[in-house]
Amino acid sequence: MVQYNFKKITVVPNGKDFVDIILSRTQRQTPTVVHKGYAISRLRQFYMRKVKYTQQNFHEKLSTIIEEFPRLDEIHPFYGDLLHVLYNKDHYKLALGQINTARNLISKIAKDYVKLLKYGDSLYRCKSLKVAALGRMCTVIKRIGPSLAYLEQIRQHMARLPSIDPNTRTILICGYPNVGKSSFMNKITRADVDVQPYAFTTKSLFVGHTDYKYLRYQVIDTPGILDRPFEDRNIIEMCSITALAHLRAAVLFFLDISGSCGYSIAQQAALFHSIKSLFMNKPLIIVCNKTDLQPLDGISEEDRKLVIEMKAEAMKTVIGQGGEPENEEGVLLTMSTLTEDGVIAVKNAACERLLNQRVELKKKSKKMNDCRNRFHVALPKPRDQKERPPCIPQAVLEAKAKQAEEEKKRKTEKDLEEENGGAGVYSASLKKNYILASDEWKEDVLPEILDGHNVYDFIDPDILLRLEELEREEGLRQAEEEADDFEMDGEELSPEEQEALAEIRKKKNLLIQQHRMKKSTAESRPVVPRKFDTDRKFTTKRMGRQLSTLGLDPSLAINRARSKSRGRKRERSVERGEADGGDTMDIDGNQASKKLRLRSMSRSRSRSRPPITEVLPGEGLKDSAQKSYSYIETKAPVLWETFHWKDGQALRHVQEIKL
């Protein structure tokens, strides 16, 4: 099956862009690397290669354009006539012919200048010939600029054409404008065709797909056709005529019997008779639409006669397909796209008639005869009058009987439900599968004897009174707990204490609000070190002032904060002074620590990294000298290569294993 996809056609550049693309590619692939001192043969070869490469690029680009555009004589007649209607076949062929002529001219120019370059006697002469060759090629491309622009416009329009398969099952909708064709298309397919209450809303072919008996059908909505001579029809109407002429499809001719489309039934009948030659050998159905406005029985006698004449013409297509003249079903149908009355019936009738026609054509084809020759149905003939019934082994019969008995014995809940009244009447018992000592206990509401005890002995007759007492007692206890809850209300405090309490509560609320603000902006707030805290929000002086305003002594809190902020260096200096045997003088307070720091011994080395020559336990070395020797032997070559990494490859040292 041939598929036409015009969306894959390559973009056609205009003349200027075409030249820029080819010359830039030539410059990239064959950069100019020649000098005066080169031999003349080398110069000739370079410029000949440049001219040939440019010609090859032009040839490839132009060949791609010629090959990808469809040839009207080789494609399906439907597409050939459609392209002729839309773009004028003569102009289309002329543009492709000019592209082909330009390709041949460029090949001839390159061939001539390559011959001249073989006799170039200097760098200047070879370069001048190369410039002349490329210039003439570009001139040829610029002359066909209008043809390239025309083909690009055609490519863009062809990419917007619907993908129509001329060989698949197709339903074609035709008729006067504004008779309900697009509305019917939207009802039976997923297509979204614009529907408006004026003529020629549909200006091109639209395609949708529908299913019938698990087969996919192609539905084509055509623009409206007017009853006028063939020469006076415009491009929009010619698209419909082309589809009717070349597509093997079931044709639905829509008839607006209400007259709301602006055309009478007589005018629509005249159109039907003028294009009925296009309906030959196609299943034809006349669809009377808009029955919600005007039923078919309510039209006048003259209009009824016209409809009957159209029906008689449609019956000829049924007879031509081998049908019976009495079979009038599926020829004249009524529907309303507004109320969706009869829409599915019209679709099913069209699909059924089209399917029957395609089956009959395949039966009459040569391919069907070839298939029949491969098959032979053998029918056995009786050799005598003796009856020979089928013989089934006894074991098989017993197995089947046993299986049937098991199926009869076993009943599911579904079977029980159907036997006892069906859903809503039968209620499945959940107790019938209980595992009890006696099956009689399964349906008991409450067993009288359980585990050897009388169940009634464990039931208190005054249980409701006891429950009320428990609830009353629980309420009293909750009231006592609420009374015991302590909450400082400030009535038992002095005025100073009340002010302090109010200040504390105010501060507490402020801290809660600040915490909530910080929590809400925690992700976006940057973390600032304390050394950048220029506002000095958290200092001992501020803490002292706040505690003093609350009537508290801040000295202990300040001393504790200062003791916590002291570093490890001061503690070490004090300990070191004590370890020296008390050589330092006893000095009180801060003076003592300052003196001790001034007189402290030299700072000890860091304990995190021992010296290289120090022997650590578990290394397997005897002394520091042996460790120094091993370090030099292993690390020195690596360090040498590290400091001499700029040396060349020839200067690198190749390590050798000493045996």
Side-chain angles (χ1 to χ4, degrees), residues 272 276 279-285 311-323 331 353 357:
F272 176 83
K276 66 181 179 181
F279 302 150
M280 297 302 296
N281 301 323
K282 296 185 180 73
L284 176 61
I285 299 175
K311 181 180 178 181
E313 291 291 338
M315 283 299 300
K316 294 180 181 179
T317 60
V318 177
I319 299 171
Q321 295 174 14
V331 177
R353 289 192 58 186
Q357 185 205 32

Side-chain angles (χ1 to χ4, degrees), residues 324-359:
E324 297 180 359
E326 293 82 10
N327 187 10
E328 298 182 358
E329 295 181 1
V331 177
L332 179 64
L333 299 175
T334 59
M335 74 167 190
S336 172
T337 54
L338 182 63
T339 60
E340 299 186 6
D341 183 20
V343 172
I344 301 301
V346 171
K347 185 198 84 168
N348 293 342
C351 295
E352 186 67 30
R353 289 192 58 186
L354 178 63
L355 187 61
N356 293 336
Q357 185 205 32
R358 292 174 68 90
V359 170

Side-chain angles (χ1 to χ4, degrees), residues 411-418 426-429 432-433:
K411 288 187 177 181
T412 61
E413 288 292 333
K414 186 71 174 176
D415 298 334
L416 294 174
E417 180 183 348
E418 292 177 356
Y426 172 75
S427 179
S429 176
K432 63 182 179 181
N433 295 323

Side-chain angles (χ1 to χ4, degrees), residues 83 106 143 197 398 447 514 559 646:
L83 296 180
I106 289 174
R143 285 178 180 174
E398 293 177 358
Q514 290 180 354
N559 291 334
K646 289 187 177 180

